[in-house]
Every structure is written in structure tokens, then in C-alpha cells.
Amino acid sequence: MEQKRGGFASSIGFIMAAVGSAVGLGNIWGFPFKMGANGGFTFLLVYLVLAVFCGFAIMVAELALGRSTGKGVIQAFGTLSGKYKWVGWLAMLSPFCLMSFYCTLGGYCAQYLVTNLSFLATSFDGSTGAELFALTLENQWSAVAATLIFLLVSFGIVKGGIAGGIEKFNKIGMPALFILLIVVIVRSLTLPGAMDGVSFMFSPGWSVANGYLEEAPSFFAVLATAGSQMFFSLSLAMGAMITYGSYLSKSENLGKNAVLIIIFDTIVALMAGLAVIPAAIATYGKSAELGGPSLLFVTLQDVFNSMGSTVGPLFGIVFYSLVIVAALSSSISLLEVLTTVIIDRQKTKGKPENRGKAALVMTIPLCITTFLVAFDGLGTIDTWQLIPSMGCWLNTFDFFAEGLLMPLGALSMSILFGWVVKPDFLVQENRAKGVAFKAAPFFVFSLKYLCPIIMLLVLLGQLNDFLGLGLY
Ligand code: PHE
């Protein structure tokens, strides 16, 4: 099917956009800590094995499905058969839920950027990271405003189009992020005691032997953690790669692109680890929070505070800017998934494509859900909750996105491609315009046998973690 709609202007532009989607908060506050807590270098190996044996096939399948149909998630699955549209719905609802809290986190980063700018311009007010974070959570309206600004900026970029908005942003944003990361890594690794952080991240068993962790996780726990982190980090099963694939030229080598995306994403995750963990451990040892919001908004702010009144805020500015770029490049891919679905609908109804309106149609409900997340200050403020046991709106949306829809979507997708629709059409798509696809037998084997098993494991692991089932 020849595509008449716009698309990526260059190969490198597509790679940057896909890497931008993959590189996000997951790389910064998820991967490094999970690696340290789950066996260091061994975790990295498990992660890479899962990426090769499962992530690669799912990514290539998503890119190929998107490119062969030239459609967003719902119509892409609908094109296979009306019966499978629901898989598309899973791939649309999960980015919606993820976006609902991603914007608030992006908003918090923006607030920290402003705080560090003000520390630089005036003077450091002596508040600790914990005090600042408590204040950030308490000031609901500032959080709501920052969240909405982050959402509107994402909207603005998506409205600019694939080549004119998303590609342009990532072509500048990704190299900038890389340079900013190097600046922070150099500072982090030269702090006295930084090597303990490196050992925490890489040496198997170091975190248990040195009291950072009470006991070593079971092998099943390591597998499930690595699997879910790999899916989240590579932006799989959330429609992002299907959508970006639908804007990709037929002459692109999908397998090669998938390998590059996986390599770059893993490199950035390791770099992010070297930027944050050694600094946190060098400054605060065992009392440092090494993952999640507390790492970003408590520990690291304290690290910057301890660097002096000029250098500290400067590093704070560099660091929060790079996190904002990482978060924005992911959030625009999430909003693009939703926007493309609406653009498809406009066309089916015989209307001309109106990208701005399509993006707006999805941004309006997101204003409501992101408001909910920003307003309860991660559960510190008592407000109505859909699932009270989740504790806060962020956890509720995260449970739907990462806990349920993402693993369910990936499991259904691998069964659908492996057994129901059969992967031949995906193999053909990979060979469009005479491109060689030597990995075809491996790709088919992985989709049929490995992906369903690994996805089942990830689903169980996620349900276990979110619902506290105590399975392992
Ligand atoms: N990969 C992003 C991260 O690591 C999250 C994401 C998932 C973005 C799915 C888009 C789609 O933070």
C-alpha cells in the first residue's frame, strides 16, 4: 500500500524519534536501580537476552504492521480483521494511561528546573530535597499548572507533524541529551566514593553483601523485572512502534533499525545509571533512595545542593533539562499514537486530515486525567480515588498501563502474529523493496514460541508486583 500521508523525512530522523520514545524516565529511574538490585551485570545479561529473544521480534513486528497498513493502532489491527480491533484498543488505552502520569512527572521536572534556576539566580534557600519534594507535592495548583504546560508542549510538537514536529525535536533533543548526560557522568564519577555506585550497578551480589538489599531476589523475580523493564523501556506494546512504523519509508531496513534502537536505548540506560547512582551513593551511601520519584526529586536534589551554591544549581539545571528532554521525547510518541488513531478516523469518514484537531481531541481528556494525577500529590493529599488500594492516581494509571494493558497487549499480539494471522505477511513487509531479512526464521520462531512464554511471565510478574500476590 503506497502511503500518501506525511512521514519521517530521513532515516536518521526516524531512529532519533524511535530512540527518543524509548529513552525516557524508565531509563533514568527504573533501569539503573533495578540493575543494581537484581544482580548487577547478571541483570544486564538477562535483560539483553530477553531483548534479543523477545524484544527484537516484537519491535520488528510492530514496525512492520504499522508500515504495511500505513495506519494507527486501531485500524492497523482492524486491517488484519475486524475481529482483532480489540488488540488495537489495548495498544491505545495503555499509552493513554501512561501519558496520564508521565505529564505530571515531566511537570515536576520542570518545577525542579525552575527551582535550580532560582537557586542560581538568587541563592540557595537551604531546603533539603525531601522538603522541596514535600512542597512540590503539597502545592497542587503549581503541580497542575506544570503538568498542563508539559502536556501542551507535547501537543504543540505533535501538532507540528511527524517531520516538522516530532523528527525535528528529536534530531536536536537526542544529541543534546547525550551531551548533557556526559557532563553529569563526569561529575558523578569524580565524586569521592563514586566507585561504590559503580559496584552497586555492575557487581553481582554487591548490593546484598553491602547491605543495600536484605536478600537476593529469586531468579523468577529477576526474569520478570528484566522482562517488564525491557518492554517498557523499548516502548513496546503501547502502539508507539506501530505508529512510528506507519510513517516509515518502504526502503527502510526494519530489522537493522530495531537493533539500533535497542542498542542506543540500552547505552543510554547504562549512561543514566552512571550519571545518577554513583553520585547518589557517594553522597548519601545506604540512605540514598536509588529509584523512582524519590531518586529524582529527593536524593539527586540533595546531591546538587551539596555541590555548592553555584556549581550545584548548574548541575541541577543540566540534569533536570536532560530529564525533561527524555520525558518529552517519550510523551510525544504516546500522544502521537492517540493522534494517529483520530487522523485515521477523519479519513475513514471522508474528512480531510486535520492533525491539530486530532491531537486536541486526545489532549482534552488527558487534561482531566493528568489533572487527577497532579492534584493528589502522589497520594499525599486526600482526594477521591478510583481504586483506593492503589494509594494514588499515579499508581492507578500505572497499574492499568504497565501492570495490565502492556503485558496483555504484547501477549495477545504475539499469539495473534505467531499463531492466528501467521507472521508471513510481516516477513514480506520486512523484505519490501528487496531489503534482505536474514533474521526471518529467528523472527518467526521468536514470535511463535519465545514471546508468548516470556510475555506470560511478564504478565504474572506485573500482577504479582502491583497486587502484592506474593507469587515468588
Ligand atoms: N520507553 C519510555 C521510558 O523508558 C516509556 C514509553 C513506553 C514511552 C511506551 C512510549 C511508549 O520511559
Side-chain angles (χ1 to χ4, degrees), residues 21-27 98 102 232-236 238 240 330 333-334:
S21 171
V23 169
L25 294 172
N27 298 57
L98 181 53
Y102 224 82
F232 183 76
S233 193
L234 293 176
S235 300
L236 298 176
M238 296 245 185
S330 294
S333 74
L334 294 166

Side-chain angles (χ1 to χ4, degrees), residues 236-318:
L236 298 176
M238 296 245 185
M241 293 300 158
I242 300 177
T243 307
Y244 278 4
S246 77
Y247 293 106
L248 197 53
S249 135
K250 289 279 184 198
S251 51
E252 284 289 333
N253 185 328
L254 302 181
K256 199 174 107 196
N257 281 327
V259 171
L260 285 177
I261 297 166
I262 294 172
I263 292 177
F264 282 135
D265 183 60
T266 311
I267 290 178
V268 174
L270 289 170
M271 287 175 69
L274 291 177
V276 299
I277 303 279
I281 289 189
T283 317
Y284 289 98
K286 275 177 214 151
S287 61
E289 296 270 4
L290 298 173
S294 320
L295 166 75
L296 276 193
F297 304 122
V298 178
T299 308
L300 286 170
Q301 184 56 46
D302 278 333
V303 169
F304 300 132
N305 290 348
S306 74
M307 289 179 178
S309 59
T310 311
V311 178
L314 271 178
F315 276 101
I317 292 164
V318 170

Side-chain angles (χ1 to χ4, degrees), residues 103-120:
C103 290
T104 301
L105 298 170
Y108 287 158
C109 293
Q111 285 180 286
Y112 271 69
L113 176 63
V114 172
T115 303
N116 280 282
L117 278 168
S118 76
F119 285 168
L120 186 68

Side-chain angles (χ1 to χ4, degrees), residues 160-185:
I162 294 292
I166 294 176
E167 185 170 343
K168 240 188 200 163
F169 174 80
N170 282 295
K171 265 174 101 171
I172 302 169
M174 284 304 106
L177 178 131
F178 199 77
I179 293 168
L180 295 177
L181 252 182
I182 291 178
V183 173
V184 185
I185 289 174

Side-chain angles (χ1 to χ4, degrees), residues 438-449:
K438 292 206 188 94
F442 170 72
F443 168 73
V444 173
F445 178 80
S446 168
L447 268 188
K448 272 179 119 90
Y449 302 103

